[in-house]
Amino acid sequence: MPTIISPTDYGRAIGCETAATDWFQIDQDRINAFADCTLDHQFIHVDPAAAAKSPFGSTIAHGFLSLSMLSYFAEQLEVVMEGVKMGVNYGLDKVRFISPVKVDQRIRARAKVLDVLEKNPGQFQLKLEVTVEIEGQDKPALIAEWLVMQFI
């Protein structure tokens, strides 16, 4: 169910939490493609044989790959200002990578509204605490304070 924020009463949205998104599997092809895009080919990401001998026991996704999945999860999180015409990524205030995402694990996200500021008329900055969970694990992959600008 979407979290719709009223532009006239946005303070009520603070503390609202979304439902979790669908699970998404992080496979080796995706990890390799991300390594190619970022030029980060460290063995723990792209060499299954060498990574098997590491403390992780397998290849792991780049932390920034897990973080980049926020863009994918955003549509399912559905935190929007009523009447929104456009939203843009405004940045991050804080990110903590807590647990590695091993190859073929599934992740999902959930969000909590931390703050809403009207920067200009019809322009709202939302601060969301987004947690990316790993299926079957108590500790999340990451927690981020994500800033999103929405225009109505």
Side-chain angles (χ1 to χ4, degrees), residues 16-28:
C16 288
E17 297 185 31
T18 69
T21 65
D22 295 334
W23 291 106
F24 184 88
Q25 186 171 15
I26 302 295
D27 61 21
Q28 190 63 52

Side-chain angles (χ1 to χ4, degrees), residues 54-76:
S54 77
F56 303 115
S58 70
T59 56
I60 59 170
H62 305 71
F64 285 123
L65 168 54
S66 300
L67 182 64
S68 75
M69 294 304 297
L70 297 187
S71 295
Y72 169 74
F73 289 132
E75 186 174 330
Q76 289 182 55

Side-chain angles (χ1 to χ4, degrees), residues 50-113:
K53 298 174 189 167
S54 77
F56 303 115
S58 70
T59 56
I60 59 170
H62 305 71
F64 285 123
L65 168 54
S66 300
L67 182 64
S68 75
M69 294 304 297
L70 297 187
S71 295
Y72 169 74
F73 289 132
E75 186 174 330
Q76 289 182 55
L77 291 172
E78 294 185 305
V79 179
V80 295
M81 297 299 297
E82 186 176 50
V84 67
K85 292 183 177 121
M86 177 180 70
V88 296
N89 180 3
Y90 198 67
L92 299 155
D93 271 355
K94 182 178 179 181
V95 178
R96 293 294 179 263
F97 298 108
I98 298 167
S99 296
V101 176
K102 294 181 179 182
V103 65
D104 294 327
Q105 284 188 309
R106 296 189 330 157
I107 61 173
R108 68 179 181 187
R110 63 179 67 246
K112 178 168 68 171
V113 178

